[in-house]
Amino acid sequence: MEIIRVKDYAAMSEAASTFLIERINRLDNPKLGLATGSTPEGLYKNIIEKHKQGDVSFKNVKSFNLDEYVGLEKNDPNSYYFFMKDKLFDHVDISLDNVRVPNGVAADLQQECQDHEEAIKAAGGIDVQLLGIGANGHIGFNEPGTPFTSKTQVVNLDESTIQANSRFFNTIEEVPTQAISMGIDTIMNSKEILLLISGESKAEALAKLVSGEVTEEVPASVLNNHPNVTVIADEAAFSVVDGK
Ligand code: GLP
């Protein structure tokens, strides 16, 4: 695991966009695993800027999103499909035929999970998986205790995750209690992983990750077993590691 320490959120977003654009330009048909949340927003903004300057094209890119809330329609402003269109897809030259976000309102959610797995496999696997991290160490929506062998599945959200994500909703009751999430094994099958960590609220999670202990109680700790992981984290995220 390579850990790159940067000053702040802006520096993390800059380093992450340079990293991702290098891969998109180097690979013939890049397959990206994409993430939502506040963490990658700055990265997406930078990519849009660099796309406008002609530094990167998504013409040959296929993307697969990590997760989606169960019960939210694509056009719901809180759905991750909406987030991806709003923050990235609508502003770059990616074809919507080449993007896949799990469908949280599928009539058969189990089938949808299987379809997500199969679409990733049919594309030849994910080249670069982008990840954020939950304060409790979750990746995607894989909460503490999720088996490392898990594939894409319907998951129940932790109370702490519902609380954390309620900032995007009018009331906490509106936050879905379930999601479809790529599994830990799905994530680990990516050829390369880029994990972004910013802010003091993630400092505990970063400290657990770098402690080296691999446990299902800290889902992100599994990344210690992956051969090609880059973590870009800012000063605030290092506060616990630094003993502050
Ligand atoms: C959410 C998402 C994750 C994300 C994490 C952190 O619940 N499912 O994919 O990485 O929690 O979110 P944020 O970047 O907003 O802190």
Side-chain angles (χ1 to χ4, degrees):
M1 194 157 69
E2 187 190 353
I3 300 178
I4 301 172
R5 182 170 174 151
V6 294
K7 187 167 173 281
D8 53 17
Y9 181 81
M12 180 196 74
S13 304
E14 184 56 35
S17 58
T18 304
F19 180 103
L20 210 55
I21 289 170
E22 192 276 329
R23 270 69 177 171
I24 295 171
N25 287 340
R26 174 157 47 84
L27 299 165
D28 287 337
N29 293 292
K31 264 81 74 185
L32 305 181
L34 296 177
T36 52
S38 305
T39 307
E41 275 196 52
L43 155 68
Y44 293 148
K45 271 195 191 129
N46 290 345
I47 286 185
I48 292 166
E49 224 27 71
K50 291 185 182 166
H51 168 69
K52 282 190 190 141
Q53 291 161 9
D55 294 342
V56 63
S57 167
F58 281 73
K59 272 214 168 74
N60 299 321
V61 169
K62 270 196 178 151
S63 75
F64 299 91
N65 262 79
L66 266 177
D67 46 18
E68 176 63 283
Y69 287 116
V70 165
L72 298 193
E73 300 278 350
K74 278 182 172 183
N75 61 4
D76 186 309
N78 276 312
S79 79
Y80 285 167
Y81 183 85
F82 190 96
F83 175 103
M84 289 310 301
K85 275 194 61 153
D86 188 40
K87 309 285 185 205
L88 183 67
F89 299 156
D90 281 350
H91 312 284
V92 295
D93 58 345
I94 198 163
S95 161
L96 288 181
D97 294 337
N98 289 336
V99 313
R100 193 173 205 291
V101 180
N103 177 6
V105 292
D108 185 341
L109 291 171
Q110 302 307 330
Q111 185 62 47
E112 176 59 20
C113 294
Q114 220 170 303
D115 289 352
H116 202 58
E117 281 291 325
E118 270 154 28
I120 293 169
K121 232 177 260 163
I126 289 172
D127 294 307
V128 190
Q129 175 67 56
L130 174 65
L131 293 178
I133 191 169
N136 63 3
H138 75 230
I139 48 176
F141 265 133
N142 296 292
E143 302 284 18
T146 307
F148 286 164
T149 51
S150 57
K151 301 280 187 196
T152 301
Q153 59 178 343
V154 176
V155 296
N156 295 321
L157 304 187
D158 261 19
E159 202 43 54
S160 64
T161 301
I162 293 173
Q163 192 74 44
N165 290 0
S166 66
R167 67 189 193 275
F168 299 111
F169 295 79
N170 294 322
T171 64
I172 195 158
E173 288 74 32
E174 283 177 35
V175 187
T177 55
Q178 287 192 313
I180 292 178
S181 179
M182 277 190 201
I184 303 274
D185 187 62
T186 321
I187 293 168
M188 288 294 279
N189 280 329
S190 312
K191 296 178 186 94
E192 183 169 23
I193 293 174
L194 173 62
L195 169 62
L196 304 183
I197 312 183
S198 171
E200 250 177 73
S201 65
K202 307 293 175 65
E204 209 52 75
L206 176 60
K208 286 181 182 157
L209 171 68
V210 301
S211 79
E213 192 199 343
V214 177
T215 162
E216 288 179 352
E217 286 316 306
V218 183
S221 70
V222 75
L223 300 176
N224 285 292
N225 292 342
H226 191 286
N228 197 1
V229 177
T230 302
V231 180
I232 306 178
D234 66 11
E235 287 294 334
F238 270 96
S239 56
V240 172
V241 173
D242 290 347
K244 281 184 191 154

